[in-house]
Amino acid sequence: MEHLHQMAMKCKQAARELALYDTETKNRALLAVAQALEDNMASILSANARDIAYARDNGLREAMIDRLALTEERVRSMAQGARQVAALEDPIGQVIESFSRPNGLHIRKVRVPLGVVGVIYEARPNVTADSAVLCFKAGNAAFLRGGKEAFRSNTELAQIMRRALEEQGLNPDCVCLLDDTSRQTAAAMMGLRGLIDVLIPRGGAGLIRSVVENAKVPVIETGAGNCHVYVDKAADLTMAAEILFNAKCSRPSVCNAAESLLVHQDIASEFLPMAKTRLDECQVEWRGCPRTIAILPGIAPATVEDYAVEYNDYILSCKVVNCIEDAVRHIQRYTTGHSESIVTQDPQAAQLFADQVDAAAVYINASTRFTDGAEFGMGAEIGISTQKMHARGPMGLKELTSWKYIVQGQGQTR
Amino acid sequence: MEHLHQMAMKCKQAARELALYDTETKNRALLAVAQALEDNMASILSANARDIAYARDNGLREAMIDRLALTEERVRSMAQGARQVAALEDPIGQVIESFSRPNGLHIRKVRVPLGVVGVIYEARPNVTADSAVLCFKAGNAAFLRGGKEAFRSNTELAQIMRRALEEQGLNPDCVCLLDDTSRQTAAAMMGLRGLIDVLIPRGGAGLIRSVVENAKVPVIETGAGNCHVYVDKAADLTMAAEILFNAKCSRPSVCNAAESLLVHQDIASEFLPMAKTRLDECQVEWRGCPRTIAILPGIAPATVEDYAVEYNDYILSCKVVNCIEDAVRHIQRYTTGHSESIVTQDPQAAQLFADQVDAAAVYINASTRFTDGAEFGMGAEIGISTQKMHARGPMGLKELTSWKYIVQGQGQTR
């Protein structure tokens, strides 16, 4: 743990220096990092091949190996990501507000970095590059702890980025990767008060819960998405079927995919067969309430667990509701606060849904799949916050910052 | 704990309703609360007298009893606080950003309440009213847990406010006070994930540490202030002595009071005797580095603990530094990130200090005592955040909110 503490101290010192780099310096460094990732393609792929061989020997599931695997294309997309981030506007130094007080004090609220951003993640090595690059542009040093499966890939990626920073005359400790992937070290990292300013877990529900429950430093909770599509009695049913199909089937493994369908009773007998036919194209498995089953005989019954779970798979739970208020109540009970959609042509129903559903993103006549930094025009994201504190929804550069009040006086006392 | 959970569920339901109250409804309720506090002066003072009698019987320190004690004036000031908050602009419903995407999606980022705000505090009964009122205006239900010393006062205050809400036809559970002040219940409250959106500890360092370390819900850390005044070689020394006197002596028990003086070596022998003479008016006790002692013989030596501690008393630690960079390094080492001040006529020194000192508020030629919601023009504050996440510095109404993205489409899929 002594080693962990020393590394965190170095990272904090790097964050102090990085906070003072100007935009041009940061952008030049990001372009150098992009180039270095491409120039070192062979060594990255070779380190990754060793991770994969080791994972196979240890019987890792193929889904996990897919997350772990890098290809030329995936490495190029990391490099491209760094170039895109270089092109984004630098939030640091922006004057958020500026005002004078009656006593003559002039107060500026200025955007500053958070400091050291800790990221705890699992098997995806691209998180190493993506997180480091976003943190860097927002003036934050990244303190990274990846999963043990990707240890060789992550080490190679971190070394390449650190070397690129050093060659630009910058402090390589702006990117620190923990070289110990034990649970104890992760736990110790979550306790580094005064050294880590914010901790962001990126991964499955288990990882996120563990970080939220154990961390003694501030955490931004990301990820879990039990998203609903509610088809109102005033819906355009063809549009509703397309939105549902897209929300459920375009990429079921991600957090903004829909898990549950709510249907107003007035249109259920017309809509459900339409929806079933459309979702059959992807062999979606349905689990329904008794009234759903009465319309779609043969599907399995839905339990309370079905309504609560994030399947991340081609499975859909379904419930017929009496009215929009029932739909809202169901969502209030089961939502993880990520993304919720209503399909309706009735502006009053849309307004009620937008007002009463408490989620990072509420959609009216659109798919839940749009909750994403790029789709929101942020250029890139470090995750999607499902908590209400600090940042909610997709987190881009601005969400990786804090502020400072700079108060100019002429000797004022109180 | 069953009872705690039920109360939290009620509070959450109230938060859902409160989020939909319009500004006029909220303001009318706040004025009714103010009136009710004044109308029930006798019962509040009588409950408080019982708390004080009990505290005296149990040998509570006089300083604690002073915090606990209510007077007619203090109750009127609570009522006045509610009226002032009613007059403040309502942050809820404000459109923070609004933009369209190339695919035609129209995205609005709208300010919404946090939901249920938990407040854990100590002996000051005014926190009950002040917190409830601020939370209410920002659309949040307040889930309050006060100290056992103030139990009778808090219960009386909460009942008066709840009755006033009910008489306005509103949900009284917008203000919930825990009727159990045990440590176990406080600990259980810190674990109410999904029910409490944000937890704010208001009190001493011990309380804050305990909440930060044990909470499983998001916390906003407030309070601790180890604030420095750095007197640069280019300072107006008369101004510096006034600022130091104000920062140290105007109210030493609060978090924005100065605890430590840093003096540039070039002006130390001229400034320190001036400062000593001024601070002698309040019998301030000095603890200094060897170079300070050489100039002010007879004062006690300062230890590392002296530089680290928040005295909250008429005591000052002092260090002579070689240069501004040394002053910045000292502050980086010991700051709690609250308020830091430089006195200088040199704009470059001021800029360096403002850039490199990492604190919620950095002052140039002004007292640290201005870090305060009212002084910053926020009208009121629920505390001063010393963390960088969510809110930094004085937290007013806006800092008690989150946002929601409302996305309007016409059938868009991804």
Side-chain angles (χ1 to χ4, degrees):
Chain A
M1 298 306 141
E2 190 51 35
H3 175 62
L4 171 77
H5 201 264
Q6 274 172 11
M7 189 180 254
M9 295 278 284
K10 281 188 189 174
C11 198
K12 182 166 179 167
Q13 179 53 39
R16 284 180 182 143
E17 297 172 22
L18 170 49
L20 303 174
Y21 296 165
D22 61 22
T23 305
E24 204 190 312
T25 303
K26 289 191 283 189
N27 289 347
R28 205 169 44 226
L30 288 169
L31 297 179
V33 162
Q35 193 58 49
L37 289 170
E38 290 181 341
D39 290 348
N40 291 278
M41 180 70 78
S43 73
I44 296 170
L45 294 180
S46 141
N48 188 247
R50 276 176 283 139
D51 274 335
I52 290 175
Y54 188 83
R56 285 239 158 76
D57 287 350
N58 285 272
L60 226 67
R61 289 181 300 119
E62 275 307 310
M64 186 72 111
I65 286 176
D66 177 57
R67 275 180 224 158
L68 178 55
L70 290 178
T71 57
E72 278 205 24
E73 197 197 332
R74 284 186 180 183
V75 175
R76 272 211 189 86
S77 117
M78 287 183 214
Q80 207 42 43
R83 291 191 183 101
Q84 276 164 8
V85 169
L88 294 176
E89 197 183 349
D90 187 350
I92 301 306
Q94 287 174 351
V95 177
I96 302 168
E97 282 178 60
S98 169
F99 52 97
S100 291
R101 298 292 303 153
N103 59 7
L105 284 181
H106 182 68
I107 303 183
R108 279 179 305 144
K109 184 177 179 181
V110 178
R111 206 175 280 289
V112 299
L114 285 165
V116 174
V117 174
V119 185
I120 296 189
Y121 51 108
E122 300 183 318
R124 293 183 199 269
N126 64 303
V127 176
T128 307
D130 297 351
S131 304
V133 152
L134 268 169
C135 286
F136 186 85
K137 179 72 182 249
N140 301 299
F143 196 66
L144 307 170
R145 193 277 192 184
K148 63 177 187 306
E149 304 80 10
F151 181 65
R152 294 162 191 83
S153 313
N154 289 338
T155 304
E156 188 61 29
L157 288 166
Q159 274 173 4
I160 290 165
M161 292 192 285
R162 289 171 56 90
R163 226 159 35 219
L165 292 175
E166 212 158 15
E167 283 168 13
Q168 295 292 314
L170 306 180
N171 190 331
D173 293 324
C174 293
V175 179
C176 288
L177 176 77
L178 260 183
D179 55 6
D180 169 351
T181 58
S182 70
R183 270 167 194 275
Q184 293 89 315
T185 307
M189 179 178 166
M190 297 178 209
L192 289 174
R193 295 201 359 101
L195 292 173
I196 291 181
D197 293 285
V198 174
L199 195 56
I200 303 177
R202 294 185 67 176
L207 172 75
I208 292 165
R209 195 177 326 111
S210 156
V211 171
V212 166
E213 297 200 344
N214 295 307
K216 300 192 192 316
V217 299
V219 172
I220 300 181
E221 198 171 338
T222 62
N226 183 18
C227 306
H228 301 76
V229 174
Y230 165 60
V231 182
D232 189 44
K233 66 176 173 186
D236 172 331
L237 299 188
T238 309
M239 182 197 285
E242 286 311 303
I243 286 174
L244 175 67
F245 179 76
N246 183 262
K248 179 70 259 179
C249 301
S250 60
R251 203 168 165 203
S253 65
V254 294
C255 58
N256 56 22
E259 307 295 348
S260 204
L261 169 67
L262 302 172
V263 185
H264 193 287
Q265 59 179 2
D266 291 3
I267 46 93
S269 59
E270 187 182 351
F271 180 68
L272 285 175
M274 281 172 64
K276 177 85 166 51
T277 304
R278 189 72 169 101
L279 268 55
D280 278 351
E281 292 170 31
C282 288
Q283 288 89 47
V284 171
E285 178 188 336
W286 288 62
R287 300 187 188 165
C289 69
R291 290 160 85 186
T292 306
I293 296 175
I295 299 170
L296 301 177
I299 69 164
T303 63
V304 167
E305 286 71 42
D306 281 303
Y307 293 124
V309 80
E310 191 182 359
Y311 296 120
N312 283 331
D313 203 347
Y314 290 99
I315 310 174
L316 181 76
S317 67
C318 179
K319 189 175 178 185
V320 176
V321 295
N322 295 326
C323 55
I324 184 170
E325 287 80 8
D326 275 359
V328 167
R329 265 188 293 270
H330 179 94
I331 292 173
Q332 282 176 342
R333 179 162 173 198
Y334 293 104
T335 185
T336 54
H338 194 294
S339 301
E340 306 292 352
S341 177
I342 181 173
V343 187
T344 189
Q345 298 299 114
D346 172 3
Q348 279 186 304
Q351 183 75 47
L352 186 151
F353 191 86
D355 283 347
Q356 299 199 12
V357 167
D358 190 21
V362 179
Y363 291 86
I364 301 153
N365 296 332
S367 169
T368 55
R369 292 275 292 106
F370 288 106
T371 307
D372 173 273
E375 293 292 336
F376 273 39
M378 291 176 179
E381 66 166 47
I382 199 163
I384 293 169
S385 161
T386 52
Q387 71 179 29
K388 288 191 251 183
M389 218 178 90
H390 185 71
R392 197 178 197 197
M395 290 188 293
L397 287 177
K398 212 158 64 179
E399 286 71 25
L400 284 171
T401 67
S402 181
W403 63 70
K404 170 196 275 189
Y405 290 97
I406 299 179
V407 185
Q408 173 78 57
Q410 301 82 33
Q412 280 86 344
T413 56
R414 185 180 170 193
Chain B
M1 298 303 142
E2 191 51 35
H3 174 63
L4 171 77
H5 201 266
Q6 275 171 12
M7 190 181 254
M9 295 277 284
K10 280 189 190 174
C11 198
K12 182 167 179 166
Q13 180 52 39
R16 283 180 183 142
E17 297 171 24
L18 171 48
L20 302 174
Y21 296 165
D22 60 21
T23 305
E24 203 190 313
T25 304
K26 289 190 285 189
N27 289 348
R28 204 169 44 226
L30 287 169
L31 297 180
V33 162
Q35 192 60 47
L37 290 171
E38 290 181 343
D39 290 349
N40 290 278
M41 181 70 77
S43 73
I44 296 170
L45 293 180
S46 141
N48 187 248
R50 276 175 284 139
D51 275 332
I52 290 176
Y54 187 82
R56 285 241 158 76
D57 286 351
N58 285 271
L60 225 67
R61 288 181 300 118
E62 276 306 310
M64 185 73 111
I65 287 176
D66 177 56
R67 277 179 222 158
L68 177 55
L70 291 178
T71 57
E72 278 206 24
E73 196 196 335
R74 284 185 179 182
V75 175
R76 273 212 188 86
S77 118
M78 287 183 212
Q80 207 42 41
R83 292 191 183 102
Q84 277 163 8
V85 169
L88 293 176
E89 197 184 350
D90 187 349
I92 299 307
Q94 287 174 351
V95 177
I96 303 168
E97 281 178 61
S98 168
F99 52 98
S100 292
R101 297 294 301 154
N103 60 7
L105 285 181
H106 183 69
I107 304 182
R108 278 180 305 146
K109 184 176 179 181
V110 178
R111 205 175 281 289
V112 299
L114 286 164
V116 174
V117 174
V119 185
I120 297 188
Y121 52 107
E122 300 184 315
R124 292 182 199 267
N126 64 303
V127 177
T128 307
D130 297 351
S131 304
V133 153
L134 267 169
C135 286
F136 185 85
K137 178 72 182 250
N140 302 298
F143 195 65
L144 306 170
R145 193 275 193 187
K148 63 177 187 306
E149 303 79 10
F151 181 65
R152 295 160 190 83
S153 312
N154 290 337
T155 303
E156 188 62 28
L157 288 167
Q159 274 172 3
I160 291 165
M161 292 192 285
R162 289 170 56 90
R163 225 159 36 218
L165 292 175
E166 211 157 16
E167 283 168 13
Q168 295 290 314
L170 305 180
N171 190 330
D173 293 324
C174 293
V175 179
C176 288
L177 175 77
L178 260 182
D179 55 5
D180 169 352
T181 57
S182 70
R183 270 167 193 274
Q184 293 91 314
T185 306
M189 178 177 168
M190 297 178 208
L192 289 175
R193 295 199 0 99
L195 293 173
I196 291 181
D197 292 285
V198 174
L199 196 55
I200 303 177
R202 293 185 68 177
L207 171 75
I208 292 166
R209 196 179 323 113
S210 156
V211 172
V212 166
E213 298 201 344
N214 295 307
K216 302 191 192 316
V217 299
V219 171
I220 300 180
E221 198 172 338
T222 62
N226 183 15
C227 306
H228 300 77
V229 173
Y230 165 61
V231 181
D232 188 45
K233 67 177 173 187
D236 172 331
L237 299 188
T238 309
M239 181 196 286
E242 286 312 303
I243 286 175
L244 175 68
F245 179 77
N246 183 262
K248 179 69 260 180
C249 301
S250 59
R251 203 168 166 203
S253 64
V254 294
C255 56
N256 57 21
E259 307 294 349
S260 203
L261 169 67
L262 302 172
V263 185
H264 193 289
Q265 59 179 1
D266 290 4
I267 47 90
S269 59
E270 187 181 352
F271 179 67
L272 285 175
M274 281 172 65
K276 177 85 166 50
T277 303
R278 189 73 169 100
L279 269 55
D280 278 350
E281 294 171 30
C282 288
Q283 287 89 47
V284 172
E285 179 188 334
W286 288 63
R287 300 187 188 166
C289 68
R291 291 160 84 187
T292 306
I293 296 175
I295 298 168
L296 302 176
I299 70 165
T303 63
V304 167
E305 288 69 43
D306 280 305
Y307 293 123
V309 81
E310 190 181 1
Y311 295 119
N312 284 330
D313 204 347
Y314 291 99
I315 309 175
L316 180 77
S317 68
C318 180
K319 190 177 178 184
V320 175
V321 295
N322 296 325
C323 55
I324 184 170
E325 288 80 7
D326 275 0
V328 167
R329 267 189 294 270
H330 180 95
I331 292 173
Q332 282 176 343
R333 178 161 175 201
Y334 293 104
T335 184
T336 54
H338 194 297
S339 302
E340 304 294 352
S341 176
I342 181 173
V343 186
T344 188
Q345 299 298 112
D346 172 3
Q348 280 186 304
Q351 182 74 47
L352 186 151
F353 192 86
D355 284 347
Q356 300 199 10
V357 167
D358 190 20
V362 179
Y363 291 86
I364 301 154
N365 295 333
S367 168
T368 55
R369 292 275 291 109
F370 287 107
T371 306
D372 173 273
E375 292 293 334
F376 274 38
M378 293 175 177
E381 67 166 45
I382 199 163
I384 292 168
S385 161
T386 52
Q387 71 180 30
K388 287 190 250 184
M389 219 177 91
H390 186 71
R392 197 177 197 199
M395 291 189 293
L397 287 178
K398 212 158 65 178
E399 286 71 26
L400 284 172
T401 68
S402 181
W403 62 71
K404 170 198 275 191
Y405 289 98
I406 300 179
V407 185
Q408 173 79 56
Q410 301 82 33
Q412 280 85 344
T413 57
R414 184 178 169 193

